[in-house]
Amino acid sequence: MTTTSRSRTFDANASAAAFPLGGIGTGNVSLGARGELRDWELFNRPDKGRLMPNTFFALRVQPAGGAPITRVLEARRPAPHDLSHGYHPATGAGLPRLAGSRLRGEYPFATIEFDDPQLPVHAELEAFTPFIPLNPDDSGLPCAILTYTLTNTSSVPVDLTLAGSIINPVGGIGYDRYGNLEGGGVGQNVNEFRDEAGLRGLYLSSKRYPADDLNYGTLALATTHPNVTVKRAWVRGAWYDFLQDFWDDFSADGRLDDLGYETPSAEGRTDTGSLGLLDTLAPGERKAYRFLLTWHFPNRRASWSNRPEAPVVHNHYAGRFGDAWQVARYLTEHWPRLEGATRQFHQALFDGTLPAAVLDAVSANIVVLRSPTCFWLEDGRFFGYEGCFDEAGCCEGTCTHVWSYAQTLAYLFPRLEREMRRIEFVIETEDDGYMCFRACKTFGERYIWPWGDQKPDAASDGQMGSIIRVYREWLLSGDRAWLELVWPGVKRALDYARREWDPDDDGLTDGNQHNTYDISFFGNNPLSGVYFLAGLRAVEELAGIMGEPDLARRCRDNFTRGAQRLDERLWNGQYYVQRLEDVNAHKYQFGQGCLSDQLLGQLHARLLNMGDLLPADHVRAALKSIHDNNFKRDFSEHVNCQRTYVLNDEAGLVLCSWPQGGRPRYPFVYSDEVWTGIEYQVAAHLIYEGYAAEGLEIVQAVRDRHDGVRRSPWNEVECGHHYARSMASWAVLLALSGFHCDLGRGVISFAPPAAATADLSHFATFWSCGRGWGTYAQDRDEATGLWRPSVEVLGGDLSGIRVEACGQAWTL
Amino acid sequence: MTTTSRSRTFDANASAAAFPLGGIGTGNVSLGARGELRDWELFNRPDKGRLMPNTFFALRVQPAGGAPITRVLEARRPAPHDLSHGYHPATGAGLPRLAGSRLRGEYPFATIEFDDPQLPVHAELEAFTPFIPLNPDDSGLPCAILTYTLTNTSSVPVDLTLAGSIINPVGGIGYDRYGNLEGGGVGQNVNEFRDEAGLRGLYLSSKRYPADDLNYGTLALATTHPNVTVKRAWVRGAWYDFLQDFWDDFSADGRLDDLGYETPSAEGRTDTGSLGLLDTLAPGERKAYRFLLTWHFPNRRASWSNRPEAPVVHNHYAGRFGDAWQVARYLTEHWPRLEGATRQFHQALFDGTLPAAVLDAVSANIVVLRSPTCFWLEDGRFFGYEGCFDEAGCCEGTCTHVWSYAQTLAYLFPRLEREMRRIEFVIETEDDGYMCFRACKTFGERYIWPWGDQKPDAASDGQMGSIIRVYREWLLSGDRAWLELVWPGVKRALDYARREWDPDDDGLTDGNQHNTYDISFFGNNPLSGVYFLAGLRAVEELAGIMGEPDLARRCRDNFTRGAQRLDERLWNGQYYVQRLEDVNAHKYQFGQGCLSDQLLGQLHARLLNMGDLLPADHVRAALKSIHDNNFKRDFSEHVNCQRTYVLNDEAGLVLCSWPQGGRPRYPFVYSDEVWTGIEYQVAAHLIYEGYAAEGLEIVQAVRDRHDGVRRSPWNEVECGHHYARSMASWAVLLALSGFHCDLGRGVISFAPPAAATADLSHFATFWSCGRGWGTYAQDRDEATGLWRPSVEVLGGDLSGIRVEACGQAWTL
């Protein structure tokens, strides 16, 4: 394994690429590959494709003695150009743009290098939102930091104005059928210029909505640059006057004329404001110009489905900031720390030696937890949909079986992940241990199976996954108070599982086992079966910690019986199968199929250092079978009557295959599909089982499919955008670093597999746990051939923690 | 000028390419570059982007002794693949497709050549809808003829099944948020198999809607192929069973199992049916397999805006056919004539020697009159919107100023064009001669200016354009009864124009002159001024025909005065300008600008053989100025704060420029835009004035922009899809053939400009007029160097008509 170029670039044709900015629970605005801001999702709901009219950055440069050049700071639009009425002036599409651009994304940083042979300056853009592991508050700031760096490439001084324009969208932008701005919820909008305490810029608000209204909110576009020029509101004219006047004004001399409007906008109308940064660059001089885009839309419904009768609650950030200007001020006051820690995290991850595709997979899916898939309330409750429709969350309730694949949040922000377990086991788990696999009780809502009209079956994989993850959260935190809080629910949930799926107490699940494929498996099957074994092991460990040896022993006995029985019943010599007399007696089974998820429970055991659940050689062989049978290097001949996520010459791992025949007439409804979350969990598991090359081949395939032209590198979809399951990618980092953590015992350890370091004398990776984060490195001593391990703590406090690596141990 | 390859090909990446099938007033379904059917617009409204679930053609082939191969008969989908939930099974996206495709469109024929190295057959598709000049009825059949031709390229016999699947959409397909079929207006749908009189196939209807309901309708997918296999309805199952069962059934043996359902579909549900054609091809054998797709949705509202209270009326085709099966039977019974005449038209046009880009421009925009832009009622009334929103017409009323640019309908279906004039002058023109520029009175509706809340100003260009076109319709038809019908309205309309725009009777228009730019010009200007002169000349000619010499003399006097005054007042030495004391006193003027439309009135005079309206050298110089100033070979630096139709490295002709300065602060609202209709009118006029190379450069630029990747070659948009103004392209054919027609006098004539035939010994073109159509050719005698003209009449009866060409004359 060698480290290739550590990140990819995407040119202006990568129309699918959208790099989301924004914090945890704040919504997003994304940066496109042309340098354009797109997918404005600030308003407490997903909104893919949402454009913000009149909102763009533009540059006017004038070399001494030369003619001025004015450009929108975006690369030109690629085809298609086939809208029914052309591009509307509100898109500014008819203005001159730059010749080219190259986007590079190393989450949380995006950079764009612009090209334009006509310009006397070279332009770059860096965009990010502060991101600090273990610090969700400072990773949850409703802002995007946009820094343009300009270099004078000419031989004379260059005067420049760099202007950001932004419409005041408070209340909601409306359009008529021609694309003209009309109606919506705007009206009484106010654009102010503020200049105070070294911070200056536009502050956008509305007088129309009271503070508890869902439409209430503010934005700011600000800078600390000293010399600015401002037009608070573009001309309030007819037709396309708005853009004509702005562009003519800006182009003429690079100074913006404020038109002196002193009244709020009329009903159904709003204003666009522009903030220009003025400067002169000497030949060769390079300088950064920073814009702070902040927003504050505090209110949302306490509901998964935005039921109109649900009460209004506040976003978490609203508890810290009164408006968008306060956010901008906070950024300014804490800038060195916020920027510094974010860069430290980025370097810790990207300066590591993991393969480029792995760094990409691991970092890009962090996005999910800062996307509209997740939200965070003022009272601390943290939630996730599975993913998002273009304009709404989908599906609701921090779905236990989907989120069980995800590892990212647990390692980066373990406090938020513990909060999810608290909600599941303290609020959602019923007295008899039944867990709806969707957390709806917390909002006083009830989940009804949309195609069945009834209370859903408990999900065997989700219920066991939540139990297992309680053990993970314990290992990562050693938080005994939290464990005591959730422990009764965990025990009830396990009792329910044993009654429901193992009534004969043989340790092997049976009966109706609803699961993440939205159907139920019947009879003995490895998905539920191995998950159950892992759950028994996790509760055994937790019972030990909680001082309940009887329970621990009962779990161990049941586990031992079940593991043996499962291996006897389901091992077919190559992999684990489902045992059914008639595979077609129930629809949607898999029978003799080779299921990619068959050993997901064993992966959990690997991640949590719980050891082998099944014979190690069987596990290893089964993983290899999954790769050999289910990973396809070309989908041109693949037959899939289900949903299509991979096609043509792409590669991917299907959910199931039938190498030995026995495919049911109607196999389970997603069996021929490809889900990135499953690809990652299998990839991680392959690495754990010694098949690093096979695992990395899968990771590479996923990332190759997300090439900016086919799909966004920062949006892996399944049943929705920014799908939570994709956060299984973090497991690949864990597998390649062999990182384990037991803060209850006060130990962290590293054991990168041999394959991860084979030809290298240096290995380095990021790591994190509940009390700190940093880097781990091991270097081979050329003289002795021995590895020298080292740990650097970059955040948090791990003093007293014991580190184990390369056969050595020391205390931090 | 040389003839290059006569038509382009578009590969599977040309995602914007959509070739509309369907007749006049019938709606359309389009063929995409991958061979897929798209944009289903059968239901009496535009519907760009409308997919029809489960509807595709598929092929199963099995070489003797070999394994079967089953494919959807479409090329693979290009990127992007970034839907929030992947491709839904109802799209069949997960099924294997062909490696490649090449679409070629020579309207009305589209052909696709498919590539797939795995298949033992070579597959082609030809698609069209019968099209016969002067025969709107047989050009108005609600059908698409899809002929697949397969050639056995292997060395053994190949068994094949070619299956077309189609959902029964009667009532309207609905979807849930996941893309599952749910709700909509379907329910009680019935799929029958019919086999009668050599015609067999699926007949799709619904028991839910009475015959006068807007949702009422039928479809048929039929064939005359003798050996078929049928599945009337796909399995009525859960989840994605529908596709799994169909594909498994079809793949297994190429025979479709009918599932025996004998009840209509349940409420909110519908059925998909499949019709398979069975055959065996000997090695090397090539055979055609024809599907007739017909539809019949007879009812629409007698309203431009689908007002719910407007009465229901019938489409014209509903007066001829009772249902879709009758359409299929008519096709079968009249096939040799319908196919033969359509092929004759196609050959007459494409075997001509006009440059490829001109043939493309001329033919591709015929689509407009068979697109949802136009509709045709059972009582004979024929109407056009300007164009279409994705899902509705836009804007209403056979807009006089937009349609004045269009020539296609007048020459191909002059009866329908005369009907438009009848409506304008008999129904719409008010007692005082005021013409609303939108024909709304015919439906008892009233047009209100959407941004003004009041009765709109009369449009000076539209009103004169309609008057001029009455003369055109006369020349093309010699239909005296029709002329007598419209003549009083024409006179009133001219009187109104003189009172309104020339109150001082100097022949030069003045005052508030509303026009096609949706604003009013004030003061003397060439657009209104020259249009007015052309109108005076047209009425002079018509008055002569109608025996009103006083009126003719008055028009001539007024014309002579006006022409002299216009030239004196507006000629700036290079082109004609607008005279205003302060160009900013009114918004949206052009002043000293060089207007592309400045001599549109003169083009009308050229087309109608009315001679010079202004000094010939000035006209010629002005046209050259338009080309030199307004045609841009690259738009990267173009500044346009209005709507954007052309951008980046594309070329096009802007509506106006200010080469001598004097640009108003707010020039007219479309001045920096590019409209294909204006490009074509200027191109045609350049050719008339001796600048053929310049004219053809413009035509080439338009077509290059419509390259299937950026835009569809068969959809030129402006304020909507299939924009009527684009039918100005027919004028390029008229200019290059020098075709004139005066059926009142019984003469047609040809005079291709020297430049059109410079290096050729052969010139040939299509022509048409109110009584016939055919080809004109002239060949140079190598010995004498003289041209030998010849005319072939392919349709209609022109006996007794005198032909004039190459200095010769003869009678047909």
PDB file of all heavy atoms in Angstrom, chain B residues 15-26:
ATOM      1  N   SER B  15     -27.388  14.338 -23.610  1.00  0.00           N
ATOM      2  CA  SER B  15     -28.573  14.215 -22.747  1.00  0.00           C
ATOM      3  C   SER B  15     -29.620  15.277 -23.006  1.00  0.00           C
ATOM      4  O   SER B  15     -30.769  15.133 -22.597  1.00  0.00           O
ATOM      5  CB  SER B  15     -28.168  14.307 -21.274  1.00  0.00           C
ATOM      6  OG  SER B  15     -27.276  13.291 -20.947  1.00  0.00           O
ATOM      7  N   ALA B  16     -29.232  16.369 -23.637  1.00  0.00           N
ATOM      8  CA  ALA B  16     -30.212  17.424 -23.908  1.00  0.00           C
ATOM      9  C   ALA B  16     -31.022  17.145 -25.167  1.00  0.00           C
ATOM     10  O   ALA B  16     -32.058  17.772 -25.390  1.00  0.00           O
ATOM     11  CB  ALA B  16     -29.506  18.775 -24.030  1.00  0.00           C
ATOM     12  N   ALA B  17     -30.554  16.227 -25.988  1.00  0.00           N
ATOM     13  CA  ALA B  17     -31.230  15.975 -27.263  1.00  0.00           C
ATOM     14  C   ALA B  17     -32.549  15.240 -27.041  1.00  0.00           C
ATOM     15  O   ALA B  17     -32.587  14.209 -26.385  1.00  0.00           O
ATOM     16  CB  ALA B  17     -30.329  15.162 -28.189  1.00  0.00           C
ATOM     17  N   ALA B  18     -33.614  15.786 -27.595  1.00  0.00           N
ATOM     18  CA  ALA B  18     -34.926  15.141 -27.507  1.00  0.00           C
ATOM     19  C   ALA B  18     -35.651  15.422 -28.814  1.00  0.00           C
ATOM     20  O   ALA B  18     -35.947  16.576 -29.118  1.00  0.00           O
ATOM     21  CB  ALA B  18     -35.711  15.678 -26.316  1.00  0.00           C
ATOM     22  N   PHE B  19     -35.904  14.381 -29.564  1.00  0.00           N
ATOM     23  CA  PHE B  19     -36.519  14.496 -30.886  1.00  0.00           C
ATOM     24  C   PHE B  19     -38.012  14.233 -30.727  1.00  0.00           C
ATOM     25  O   PHE B  19     -38.429  13.099 -30.468  1.00  0.00           O
ATOM     26  CB  PHE B  19     -35.881  13.470 -31.816  1.00  0.00           C
ATOM     27  CG  PHE B  19     -36.345  13.554 -33.243  1.00  0.00           C
ATOM     28  CD1 PHE B  19     -35.574  14.216 -34.186  1.00  0.00           C
ATOM     29  CD2 PHE B  19     -37.545  12.970 -33.649  1.00  0.00           C
ATOM     30  CE1 PHE B  19     -35.985  14.293 -35.508  1.00  0.00           C
ATOM     31  CE2 PHE B  19     -37.970  13.050 -34.970  1.00  0.00           C
ATOM     32  CZ  PHE B  19     -37.191  13.708 -35.899  1.00  0.00           C
ATOM     33  N   PRO B  20     -38.850  15.260 -30.879  1.00  0.00           N
ATOM     34  CA  PRO B  20     -40.285  15.060 -30.617  1.00  0.00           C
ATOM     35  C   PRO B  20     -40.995  14.299 -31.729  1.00  0.00           C
ATOM     36  O   PRO B  20     -40.876  14.631 -32.911  1.00  0.00           O
ATOM     37  CB  PRO B  20     -40.826  16.489 -30.510  1.00  0.00           C
ATOM     38  CG  PRO B  20     -39.636  17.349 -30.239  1.00  0.00           C
ATOM     39  CD  PRO B  20     -38.530  16.689 -31.018  1.00  0.00           C
ATOM     40  N   LEU B  21     -41.725  13.300 -31.318  1.00  0.00           N
ATOM     41  CA  LEU B  21     -42.636  12.581 -32.206  1.00  0.00           C
ATOM     42  C   LEU B  21     -44.051  13.067 -31.892  1.00  0.00           C
ATOM     43  O   LEU B  21     -44.304  13.602 -30.819  1.00  0.00           O
ATOM     44  CB  LEU B  21     -42.503  11.083 -31.961  1.00  0.00           C
ATOM     45  CG  LEU B  21     -41.063  10.555 -32.102  1.00  0.00           C
ATOM     46  CD1 LEU B  21     -40.923   9.170 -31.480  1.00  0.00           C
ATOM     47  CD2 LEU B  21     -40.640  10.550 -33.568  1.00  0.00           C
ATOM     48  N   GLY B  22     -44.955  12.858 -32.816  1.00  0.00           N
ATOM     49  CA  GLY B  22     -46.326  13.325 -32.603  1.00  0.00           C
ATOM     50  C   GLY B  22     -46.721  14.303 -33.697  1.00  0.00           C
ATOM     51  O   GLY B  22     -45.860  14.876 -34.368  1.00  0.00           O
ATOM     52  N   GLY B  23     -48.038  14.470 -33.878  1.00  0.00           N
ATOM     53  CA  GLY B  23     -48.543  15.269 -34.986  1.00  0.00           C
ATOM     54  C   GLY B  23     -48.963  16.667 -34.584  1.00  0.00           C
ATOM     55  O   GLY B  23     -48.803  17.080 -33.438  1.00  0.00           O
ATOM     56  N   ILE B  24     -49.519  17.376 -35.543  1.00  0.00           N
ATOM     57  CA  ILE B  24     -50.006  18.725 -35.262  1.00  0.00           C
ATOM     58  C   ILE B  24     -51.169  18.623 -34.280  1.00  0.00           C
ATOM     59  O   ILE B  24     -52.144  17.911 -34.534  1.00  0.00           O
ATOM     60  CB  ILE B  24     -50.479  19.415 -36.556  1.00  0.00           C
ATOM     61  CG1 ILE B  24     -49.325  19.523 -37.558  1.00  0.00           C
ATOM     62  CG2 ILE B  24     -51.069  20.778 -36.252  1.00  0.00           C
ATOM     63  CD1 ILE B  24     -49.772  20.032 -38.936  1.00  0.00           C
ATOM     64  N   GLY B  25     -51.042  19.324 -33.164  1.00  0.00           N
ATOM     65  CA  GLY B  25     -52.139  19.374 -32.213  1.00  0.00           C
ATOM     66  C   GLY B  25     -52.392  18.084 -31.466  1.00  0.00           C
ATOM     67  O   GLY B  25     -53.489  17.873 -30.943  1.00  0.00           O
ATOM     68  N   THR B  26     -51.389  17.215 -31.388  1.00  0.00           N
ATOM     69  CA  THR B  26     -51.599  15.914 -30.731  1.00  0.00           C
ATOM     70  C   THR B  26     -50.795  15.731 -29.465  1.00  0.00           C
ATOM     71  O   THR B  26     -50.999  14.770 -28.735  1.00  0.00           O
ATOM     72  CB  THR B  26     -51.169  14.766 -31.669  1.00  0.00           C
ATOM     73  OG1 THR B  26     -49.743  14.830 -31.843  1.00  0.00           O
ATOM     74  CG2 THR B  26     -51.865  14.869 -33.015  1.00  0.00           C
TER      75      THR B  26
END
